[in-house]
Amino acid sequence: MSGEGSLRERVFAESPGLAALESLFEALDDVVFCVKNHQRRYVSVNRAFARRVGRNSARALIGRTARELFPPLLAAGYEQQDDQVFTTGQEIRDRLEMVTNPDGTTGWYLAQKVPVRNGAGDIVALAGISRDLRSPLGSDPKLAPIASVIERIRRDFAEPIRIRDLAAEAGLSMDSLERGTRVILGISPRQFLTKTRVENAARTLRAGKIPIGQIASECGFYDQAMFSRQFSATTGLTPRQYREAALK
């Protein structure tokens, strides 16, 4: 048995249900799927995962780590999440992740990670999926009020926006705005506001030496502490760590 095969087989032997998940996610083109062992090594990935990292073969990625496949900024955030799952056993649900590409552009994914347990209840691995949020605004007239809210957030993210006020201005209930935003973007209005603010803050952090407190204010965060908390939750790094890694 090859080294790559043995890595997979050891984990799958302890949790046989993983084989069914692997088969299901192999058929999906828009969802990235992976399983990692305690050493943070990939023991299973689907073809969508391989394409995301620019590889033709999913099999060739078995035994690799995030640091070998992703930019340092992204890998650091993944490792922090992995440690949380392995250490606490807690699931990560609907985690909005910002991906910084080599050319400086950003992509966004909605990620889920869960511990994988054996028959005795011990955590033997983690399984994760993430979905690309690149979704165009629909042309359906019924979605026009939703689109207006989305555009307002994109334009005025630095202002002290309240989602409830945006819904009222668009003539929508909060439930309608929530459902419509998820149809168009795949995330909630609040998540989209956070995404927009963090994305702009990250761009400014990569650009130069503007004080972090000033960036927080200019990107719509109540104060620097709130900025640091939300930025860290989204990227896995503090604003200072992100800047230092980006400017190396």
Side-chain angles (χ1 to χ4, degrees):
M1 182 182 295
S2 69
E4 291 83 0
S6 63
L7 280 176
R8 177 188 178 281
E9 295 305 322
R10 282 197 294 269
V11 171
F12 277 54
E14 292 200 66
S15 186
L18 282 175
L21 287 179
E22 182 183 58
S23 178
L24 286 172
F25 283 107
E26 184 61 27
L28 298 179
D29 291 328
D30 59 345
V31 177
V32 170
F33 167 77
C34 70
V35 179
K36 293 182 183 181
N37 64 14
H38 273 283
Q39 288 71 48
R40 298 176 176 158
R41 296 191 178 278
Y42 295 101
V43 301
S44 177
V45 302
N46 65 353
R47 284 175 293 181
F49 184 104
R51 287 195 299 272
R52 177 175 171 183
V53 298
R55 306 298 174 89
N56 294 322
S57 170
R59 183 176 180 180
L61 302 180
I62 304 306
R64 301 290 188 88
T65 66
R67 287 185 178 269
E68 296 176 86
L69 301 176
F70 295 98
L73 291 172
L74 184 56
Y78 284 172
E79 290 178 353
Q80 184 184 66
Q81 293 175 12
D82 295 346
D83 289 345
Q84 177 182 332
V85 173
F86 280 125
T87 302
T88 69
Q90 295 178 348
E91 299 179 357
I92 293 175
R93 294 291 185 182
D94 294 329
R95 176 69 60 84
L96 192 62
E97 294 180 340
M98 184 184 70
V99 179
T100 303
N101 301 314
D103 63 359
T105 61
T106 53
W108 290 86
Y109 288 79
L110 200 63
Q112 330 282 334
K113 287 187 178 181
V114 298
V116 176
R117 300 179 185 274
N118 60 16
D122 301 320
I123 298 175
V124 296
L126 68 80
I129 61 172
S130 59
R131 182 168 58 84
D132 193 340
L133 295 180
R134 290 179 298 180
S135 302
L137 291 176
S139 58
D140 187 339
K142 292 182 293 185
L143 297 179
I146 310 295
S148 70
V149 172
I150 291 171
E151 291 306 316
R152 172 76 184 281
I153 290 174
R154 283 175 172 156
R155 185 182 71 243
D156 298 332
F157 65 88
E159 303 299 323
I161 291 175
R162 297 181 63 222
I163 301 300
R164 188 170 298 278
D165 291 342
L166 296 184
E169 291 171 10
L172 299 166
S173 68
M174 283 294 292
D175 286 345
S176 295
L177 178 59
E178 179 87 16
R179 288 194 301 270
T181 306
R182 288 188 180 278
V183 165
I184 294 174
L185 298 176
I187 54 178
S188 71
R190 174 58 58 185
Q191 285 177 317
F192 181 64
L193 177 58
T194 299
K195 168 189 181 298
T196 304
R197 286 173 170 170
V198 169
E199 192 171 51
N200 280 274
R203 185 179 300 114
T204 306
L205 285 166
R206 295 195 302 271
K209 299 292 186 179
I210 297 175
I212 290 175
Q214 181 180 339
I215 294 175
S217 176
E218 292 179 353
C219 290
F221 295 95
Y222 180 74
D223 56 28
Q224 186 171 334
M226 176 184 288
F227 171 44
S228 294
R229 286 195 301 272
Q230 293 194 358
F231 193 91
S232 297
T234 303
T235 68
L237 298 172
T238 66
R240 190 176 306 280
Q241 289 170 332
Y242 183 91
R243 167 178 274 167
E244 290 173 351
L247 296 179
K248 283 182 179 178

